Amino acid sequence: MGPKTERVYRAILGWVESGKYGPGDKLPSERQMTEDLGIGRTALRQVLARLKAENVIQSHDRSSYTVRPRPSDRDAVVEPPADMEPWRIHGERTVYDNRWVQLAVVDVEPPKMERFEHHVVRLQHVAIAGVVDAQDRVLMLWRYRFVPQQWGWELPGGIVDEGEDPHAAALREVEEETGWRPDALERVVTYQPMVGMVDSPHEIFVGRGASYVGEPTDTEEAGHVAWVPLADVPALMARDQLMGSGTLVGLLHLLAQRGESAARAAG
């Protein structure tokens, strides 16, 4: 975040921490906050997305936000044990290194066990985006991947360049690979796809709405661009036609959101 967005983040967080807006209270409209806080709508949504990811606020539609209720005993987050010891790292040597992949051998010592050498593969930082339209369809690419020798559907995404903000990378990758520019994206989660041996942070973003700006410009990652109904995702999963852990994590989150929205509407 830049200085302006950081200032606005601190201001809204201060509203909550000071009790100006308590649990369940509705925040001012986006229009009112842009005027009161002196920030553009797009930058404000980045701030709100961060506060939502941190469980400070929650959204009820595209532009309505309330302070998240404090967890009760019934829905409190499970606390992990505090007395467990981490592995000790005694050293590391690089076996192979280039722009795309690094292989290292790490001298590690698990608690109450002998030291041994563990191979670690370090890959790139990745940002992936699931964009949904007003008809509950998700923007996807039908691609061929030569490593598994398989065709499949994927969410757009790619490598976060050095010094690049992951949110900006997600926006850029969607536009470059599909020709559609998302209206806004919010971060859902950062995870490691193979946590035991591979270091490659994957950040998942989701958003609603996009504008068509032209043909895809990333020809290397070109594929058939389509808006796929979210309702088709379980069947595509059963046919093994969804490729990559980032695609699966993003789509499962969107399906969960869809289920929560349906439950609220029914209630």
Side-chain angles (χ1 to χ4, degrees):
M1 283 190 170
K4 180 179 288 188
T5 50
E6 184 66 25
R7 173 183 60 79
V8 171
Y9 167 79
R10 294 295 174 190
I12 298 176
L13 188 62
W15 293 350
V16 176
E17 291 178 343
S18 68
K20 180 177 180 180
Y21 293 96
D25 287 349
K26 186 175 181 180
L27 293 180
S29 67
E30 286 187 355
R31 176 179 294 180
Q32 188 64 49
M33 283 192 283
T34 59
E35 294 176 359
D36 293 346
L37 298 170
I39 191 171
R41 182 71 65 90
T42 300
L44 174 65
R45 285 180 174 171
Q46 291 180 24
V47 173
L48 294 170
R50 176 179 173 183
L51 290 165
K52 184 178 176 183
E54 294 173 353
N55 290 324
V56 177
I57 63 173
Q58 58 190 1
S59 59
H60 299 277
D61 53 44
R62 187 171 173 180
S63 58
S64 177
Y65 302 89
T66 59
V67 177
R68 194 173 184 86
R70 295 187 179 94
S72 63
D73 292 338
R74 183 170 53 87
D75 58 7
V77 176
V78 176
E79 292 293 336
D83 57 350
M84 297 184 69
E85 299 178 29
W87 289 22
R88 295 182 62 188
I89 300 174
H90 296 282
E92 176 179 325
R93 59 187 171 88
T94 300
V95 177
Y96 178 81
D97 190 13
N98 71 8
R99 176 185 174 190
W100 305 105
V101 60
Q102 180 193 84
L103 174 61
V105 176
V106 185
D107 181 1
V108 296
E109 181 182 359
K112 300 180 178 61
M113 293 182 63
E114 294 184 0
R115 291 165 59 172
F116 66 95
E117 289 190 330
H118 193 295
H119 287 75
V120 176
V121 179
R122 292 194 171 91
L123 305 178
Q124 298 281 0
H125 186 177
V126 174
I128 298 164
V131 182
V132 180
D133 69 3
Q135 300 176 56
D136 229 14
R137 302 177 303 176
V138 60
L139 183 61
M140 299 188 74
L141 294 155
W142 176 257
R143 288 172 170 164
Y144 181 76
R145 292 296 188 180
F146 80 92
V147 175
Q149 300 182 36
Q150 182 180 343
W151 289 91
W153 292 103
E154 296 181 24
L155 295 177
I159 292 171
V160 179
D161 294 335
E162 186 175 355
E164 185 178 25
D165 176 70
H167 179 268
L171 290 167
R172 172 180 57 76
E173 288 288 348
V174 173
E175 185 170 336
E176 289 178 354
E177 294 185 356
T178 70
W180 290 82
R181 180 177 297 160
D183 293 344
L185 292 176
E186 63 180 45
R187 192 187 74 85
V188 171
V189 68
T190 301
Y191 76 98
Q192 294 276 6
M194 292 181 63
V195 70
M197 184 174 287
V198 178
D199 178 20
S200 178
H202 281 44
E203 298 206 39
I204 307 299
F205 295 83
V206 298
R208 285 197 169 268
S211 302
Y212 182 71
V213 294
E215 291 295 314
T217 58
D218 189 345
T219 55
E220 182 180 347
E221 296 288 346
H224 170 67
V225 180
W227 288 93
V228 177
L230 272 175
D232 290 354
V233 167
L236 296 175
M237 187 182 300
R239 297 174 193 168
D240 295 329
Q241 290 185 338
L242 300 176
M243 298 230 290
S245 62
T247 292
L248 288 167
V249 171
L251 290 175
L252 289 172
H253 176 80
L254 289 170
L255 286 176
Q257 277 191 325
R258 187 168 179 257
E260 289 175 1
S261 297
R264 284 198 298 267

